[in-house]
Amino acid sequence: MLLKKVIAVLLCTVMTAAILAGCGKTSDKITGDNGATEAKKFNYAAAYAAIDPKTVMLTINGEDVTWEQLYYDIYTVTNNLANQGESITDWTALNSDNVSYQDAVLNEAFNIALQSAAVRYGAKELKLALTKENKADIQAKWDAQVSAAGGEAALLSQLRAQYSSKEIFNNTNEVGALAQDCFKKLYGEKGDKLSDKEIADYTANDGYMMTKHILMLTTTTDENGKSQPVSDTDKAAVYQKMQDILAKLKAYKGKDFDTYFDSLMHQYSEDPGLATYPDGYLFQSGDMVSQFEDTTKALEIGRFSDIIETSYGYHIIYRIPVDYNATPASYSGSGYSLRFLTAYNMFISVINNWTSSLNVTKSADYQALDFNKLFAN
């Protein structure tokens, strides 16, 4: 499987930090199909040296992509595959997507070049250019890397070892800055230009649900840190407490049920995730245990469940409207809201549209690439 990007590198202006932190670190071993670790070295230096670095491999909207630039992307993609344990012994062999490893890696590198050109094209369409602030920020990034490396000569040496250069560093950060500026102009910094209706319409088929719940645990942790069920007597006592809470919820006649549920939730719930998700869980099918998911699906928004049991304990689930500023469970810890993720997906579609407007020519040297020969020891 090729690289799975949660958030595309085009929205990140610090790609080069990953280069220097080991994203492209050379891997000497690849995990074989039988689970063993077999030696497999790729001769990156020989592959790079096989073609003049200034050889034009692609021309995109009149701008040339040289072997130097394309090879850096090939190197990064190839190394990521190796670090993920992908077994490559023959570049013509098919991967799990039924695509040859050469085509998979080359297509990924090609798409990086294409998306970079698309961002530059889109910036012109939106009448955006690098600002003084952008340029100062890129220079600050370079200066920070120089300082971290112990001097410019050391940094340039590190970049050469990664088949990169100051030019590639700057180009990468320029594209990142332009992508961010395009995104902000179209959708706002965090997607705040999108209305709730636009997000609802775009995600209508994604099955998002949102709930709060009161959980009382029927498990305990032993001295080894393992979860153990409580005794039947303790479990019955927990259930009785949940019945009392349920009775309170059913008896409430006030106008602000949300606040009342929150007060009981914070008073009684033993959910370890409550502190992180005080406003509820935003999730899709498969994110939660089946009993929790099925109960939520059966509830209308604004209704709460009877007591249900899962492997964690007893729950009372309260279904609430989707909060588009909440982070989906599948992106937990990322800080990306559904609003931002929707805007991001829309932006990818825009980039794809820009890409379709590009005039692309693949040179004879590109067409003749043979990775089995290039990477031979």
Side-chain angles (χ1 to χ4, degrees):
M1 184 68 67
L2 274 178
L3 302 177
K4 290 185 176 179
K5 305 178 185 70
V6 174
I7 294 298
V9 292
L10 292 177
L11 293 183
C12 176
T13 60
V14 291
M15 270 182 62
T16 311
I19 299 170
L20 300 178
C23 177
K25 187 176 180 181
T26 301
S27 173
D28 289 341
K29 293 182 179 180
I30 297 175
T31 302
D33 293 331
N34 61 359
T37 302
E38 58 190 50
K40 176 62 180 179
K41 287 188 177 182
F42 290 116
N43 196 331
Y44 290 106
Y48 181 72
I51 300 173
D52 187 307
K54 301 305 178 185
T55 300
V56 175
M57 307 302 289
L58 301 165
T59 303
I60 306 176
N61 267 24
E63 296 291 329
D64 291 336
V65 177
T66 64
W67 175 240
E68 180 180 36
Q69 174 64 65
L70 184 67
Y71 186 75
Y72 165 68
D73 294 329
I74 291 172
Y75 170 82
T76 302
V77 174
T78 301
N79 249 319
N80 272 288
L81 281 174
N83 291 334
Q84 291 170 16
E86 194 79 29
S87 176
I88 307 174
T89 56
D90 180 357
W91 285 101
T92 63
L94 302 182
N95 66 9
S96 58
D97 295 323
N98 207 34
V99 177
S100 75
Y101 283 106
Q102 170 166 326
D103 287 347
V105 169
L106 193 55
N107 287 343
E108 185 79 5
F110 172 77
N111 285 332
I112 292 171
L114 204 59
Q115 287 183 341
S116 296
V119 168
R120 293 188 184 276
Y121 171 87
K124 289 181 181 179
E125 290 290 297
L126 295 174
K127 296 180 170 46
L128 293 173
L130 288 171
T131 64
K132 290 182 180 178
E133 291 78 9
N134 291 146
K135 293 176 182 179
D137 183 57
I138 293 169
Q139 183 62 47
K141 285 181 170 63
W142 176 258
D143 292 342
Q145 295 295 342
V146 168
S147 178
E152 185 159 316
L155 175 59
L156 291 172
S157 177
Q158 288 181 29
L159 290 173
R160 283 193 296 272
Q162 303 290 323
Y163 300 95
S164 186
S165 64
K166 185 175 183 179
E167 182 182 6
I168 291 174
F169 178 101
N170 286 333
N171 285 340
T172 296
N173 282 283
E174 285 175 9
V175 170
L178 288 172
Q180 284 194 326
D181 288 347
C182 290
F183 181 87
K184 289 177 185 177
K185 183 166 186 177
L186 291 171
Y187 305 106
E189 187 170 0
K190 297 182 180 180
D192 42 273
K193 288 187 178 182
L194 289 179
S195 69
D196 286 356
K197 184 179 185 308
E198 286 175 312
I199 302 171
D201 290 344
Y202 192 88
T203 61
N205 296 322
D206 293 335
Y208 280 105
M209 298 167 273
M210 192 157 184
T211 65
K212 294 179 178 180
H213 75 138
I214 298 170
L215 166 65
M216 297 199 76
L217 299 172
T218 56
T219 60
T220 187
T221 303
D222 64 19
E223 63 275 8
N224 297 317
K226 293 184 178 180
S227 179
Q228 300 289 341
V230 299
S231 67
D232 290 345
T233 300
D234 288 343
K235 185 174 181 180
V238 171
Y239 188 77
Q240 182 58 56
K241 288 179 183 178
M242 288 296 286
Q243 284 185 313
D244 294 342
I245 296 169
L246 182 61
K248 290 179 180 181
L249 290 170
K250 289 182 175 180
Y252 182 74
K253 301 299 181 185
K255 294 182 179 180
D256 194 355
F257 183 82
D258 287 349
T259 299
Y260 184 66
F261 188 92
D262 281 355
S263 68
L264 295 182
M265 179 175 68
H266 286 286
Q267 183 178 355
Y268 295 109
S269 184
E270 298 172 337
D271 178 10
L274 179 57
T276 305
Y277 297 97
D279 299 320
Y281 291 95
L282 175 62
F283 62 95
Q284 295 170 280
S285 182
D287 289 336
M288 301 293 189
V289 293
S290 59
Q291 302 95 322
F292 194 100
E293 178 184 323
D294 293 343
T295 300
T296 301
K297 285 180 178 179
L299 289 172
E300 294 180 8
I301 292 175
R303 300 291 185 182
F304 60 91
S305 71
D306 286 327
I307 300 168
I308 71 157
E309 184 177 7
T310 71
S311 57
Y312 298 99
Y314 293 117
H315 308 249
I316 297 172
I317 299 172
Y318 176 42
R319 185 166 185 178
I320 60 177
V322 169
D323 178 1
Y324 299 111
N325 295 315
T327 298
S330 54
Y331 287 85
S332 177
S334 71
Y336 297 123
S337 68
L338 181 56
R339 182 178 303 279
F340 171 81
L341 292 168
T342 302
Y344 166 75
N345 285 323
M346 289 180 172
F347 187 48
I348 293 302
S349 296
V350 170
I351 290 178
N352 289 337
N353 287 335
W354 290 339
T355 299
S356 66
S357 300
L358 301 176
N359 183 19
V360 181
T361 302
K362 297 178 180 179
S363 72
D365 291 292
Y366 180 95
Q367 303 280 9
L369 286 172
D370 183 337
F371 281 19
N372 275 335
K373 290 182 179 178
L374 282 175
F375 288 99
N377 288 326

